[in-house]
Amino acid sequence: MSEKWNIADLPDQTGRTVLITGPTLGGLGHHTALELARRGARVVLAGRTPAKVEETVAAIRAEVPEAALEALHLDLASLASVRSAATAARQIGPIDVLVNNAGVMGTSYSRTADGLELQMATNHFGPFLLTGLLLPQLVASEDGRVVTVSSMFHNLAGKPPLGDPREQHGRYSKWRVYGQSKLANLYFTSELDRRLRDKDLPVRALAAHPGFAGTHLAANGQYGRSSGGIASILDAGVRAVSQSAAEGAWPTLWAASGDLAGNTFVGPSGFQQMSGAPRRVGRSKLGQDETAARALWEISEETVDLRYP
Ligand SMILES: NC(=O)c1ccc[n+]([C@@H]2O[C@H](COP(=O)([O-])OP(=O)(O)OC[C@H]3O[C@@H](n4cnc5c(N)ncnc54)[C@H](OP(=O)(O)O)[C@@H]3O)[C@@H](O)[C@H]2O)c1
C-alpha cells in the first residue's frame, strides 16, 4: 500500500467489534461508524444523547440496511456515567477497537459534577477511565486497538496539563485548554502503548487527527448547539471552508484498521495537515515529552480512581 491511505484501502471488517464514542449525525464519529458498518463491522455507538444516537443508527441503516449496530449511553463528562456505561458494555464481549472520538472544543469555563474542567473532563479524563474499564475486553479480542482522536491544536497547549485538575490557577484560556486536552490525547496514546507493550498485552494505542473537517464541533463549543440562528451560520461557515466530515474520518479509519505500529499518529497529508488523504504524521516537541506523559498518567489514575494493570 502507498504511504497515503484511501477509503478504498479499508479492509473487510467482518467479525470485528468497534465501540465509537460521539457518533452524532454529521460528525466524525458518525462517518467512522458508517464506513466500518459498510465493511461489515459490528458497531457500538456510545453517545450522551439517546435521541441523537438513534438518529445516527437510522441514517446508517438507510445506507447499510444489514448494519449490526448497538447503542450505549455514555456521558464522558461524568465519571459515574462512564462507569455505568462500562458496566453496560460488558455484555458486548471482546472489543477489537475502541475509538475515543467524542470531544468538545473551546467551551467557556465550567466544571463538571466531579469538579473537573469541562474540556479536560470530556476529552481526556472520561476517555482515560473508559479505556481502562474496557481494557479487559480489548485484551480479550487478542488484537485490540485504542484509537484516540487528537488535533493539530495540540500545538496550542503551551505547556502540559499537569496541575491539580480540580483547581484553576490564573485566567482560563478556552483555546489553550482545548490544546492541552488534545496534547493529553497524545500523551495518553504514547504512555498507554508503552504500558501495553511493557505488560505484553495484545492491544495497541494509536492517535489520529482529522485536520479541519466540517462537523458541528465549533458551533457546539461556542453556542452549545449546531442549529438555530448564529449557530447555524457558524456551522455552515465551517463546512464551506473545510474538508468533509466523511474525509475527516479517514485518519481514524486507517488507525482503526491499518497495519500500523502502536503509538502511530495519523493525519491528513495536505497543506498544514488541514485536509487530504491520511499519512503518518509527527507530534510537536511538547507532544513527545515522555516525562510529561508519565506525569499526566499518574494524575489521571488518581483523578478517575482507577489503576491500569
Ligand atoms: N472537526 C474538526 O475539524 C476537528 C479537528 C481536530 C480534532 N477534532 C476532534 O474530533 C473529535 C470529534 O469531533 P467532531 O469534529 O466530529 O465534532 P462534533 O460533530 O461536535 O461531534 C462531537 C461528538 O462528541 C460528543 N460529545 C460531546 N461531549 C460529550 C460527552 N460529555 N459525552 C459523550 N459524548 C460527548 C458529541 O455529542 P452531542 O452531539 O450530544 O454533543 C458528538 O457526538 C473530537 O475529539 C475533536 O476534538 C475535530
Side-chain angles (χ1 to χ4, degrees):
M1 190 173 66
S2 65
E3 173 60 12
K4 286 187 205 165
W5 186 90
N6 189 283
I7 193 69
D9 297 321
L10 183 59
D12 183 47
Q13 298 291 308
T14 307
R16 296 182 96 207
T17 295
V18 184
L19 192 153
I20 303 174
T21 67
T24 303
L25 203 62
L28 302 176
H30 162 212
H31 288 281
T32 304
L34 171 62
E35 295 309 325
L36 291 167
R38 221 195 279 288
R39 298 296 201 284
R42 170 188 178 214
V43 183
V44 182
L45 303 165
R48 64 172 162 175
T49 318
K52 287 190 182 182
V53 175
E54 284 315 314
E55 209 178 8
T56 304
V57 166
I60 295 177
R61 284 246 161 80
E63 287 201 51
V64 188
E66 69 284 5
L69 304 173
E70 287 162 47
L72 182 69
H73 184 251
L74 166 74
D75 181 355
L76 286 162
S78 156
L79 297 177
S81 171
V82 174
R83 286 187 180 276
S84 325
T87 302
R90 283 201 199 121
Q91 57 79 27
I92 295 168
I95 296 173
D96 297 276
V97 189
L98 165 63
V99 181
N100 287 317
N101 164 79
V104 289
M105 177 180 79
T107 49
S108 301
Y109 182 66
S110 99
R111 297 230 155 231
T112 66
D114 302 300
L116 302 169
E117 185 282 326
L118 181 64
Q119 297 193 80
M120 281 299 293
T122 311
N123 299 355
H124 172 66
F125 290 112
F128 184 93
L129 177 60
L130 181 70
T131 306
L133 293 172
L134 296 183
L135 198 56
Q137 286 162 268
L138 286 154
V139 169
S141 80
E142 295 177 5
D143 186 17
R145 304 189 182 209
V146 178
V147 177
T148 301
V149 181
S150 180
S151 167
M152 283 300 284
F153 275 34
H154 80 272
N155 287 305
L156 299 184
K159 60 177 183 161
L162 300 180
D164 181 341
R166 292 191 168 88
E167 297 278 329
Q168 173 63 31
H169 293 291
R171 195 178 66 83
Y172 176 74
S173 162
K174 60 188 182 181
W175 297 110
R176 177 150 292 204
V177 172
Y178 177 67
Q180 289 179 337
S181 74
K182 295 286 116 179
L183 178 65
N185 293 156
L186 294 180
Y187 286 165
F188 172 62
T189 299
S190 59
E191 182 62 10
L192 175 61
D193 195 66
R194 190 188 70 75
R195 284 168 178 260
L196 291 166
R197 273 183 287 117
D198 204 43
K199 300 275 180 227
D200 211 14
L201 291 170
V203 182
R204 279 174 267 187
L206 302 93
H209 85 84
F212 182 28
T215 69
H216 304 311
L217 189 67
N220 279 339
Q222 297 315 297
Y223 303 111
R225 61 181 203 279
S226 60
S227 64
I230 194 161
S232 295
I233 296 170
L234 177 58
D235 207 55
V238 166
R239 264 182 279 123
V241 296
S242 57
Q243 69 172 345
S244 68
E247 288 164 307
W250 288 17
T252 304
L253 287 162
W254 189 23
S257 65
D259 185 13
L260 296 166
N263 200 25
T264 299
F265 187 24
V266 172
S269 54
F271 179 67
Q272 304 272 347
Q273 296 180 34
M274 299 269 272
S275 63
R279 65 172 169 82
R280 292 173 180 84
V281 295
R283 298 153 159 84
S284 67
K285 194 155 175 275
L286 196 56
Q288 298 167 42
D289 185 340
E290 291 177 10
T291 309
R294 286 181 201 202
L296 180 63
W297 189 276
E298 299 297 326
I299 291 168
S300 304
E301 284 194 336
E302 184 150 322
T303 301
V304 307
D305 194 20
L306 178 86
R307 296 269 157 222
Y308 274 63

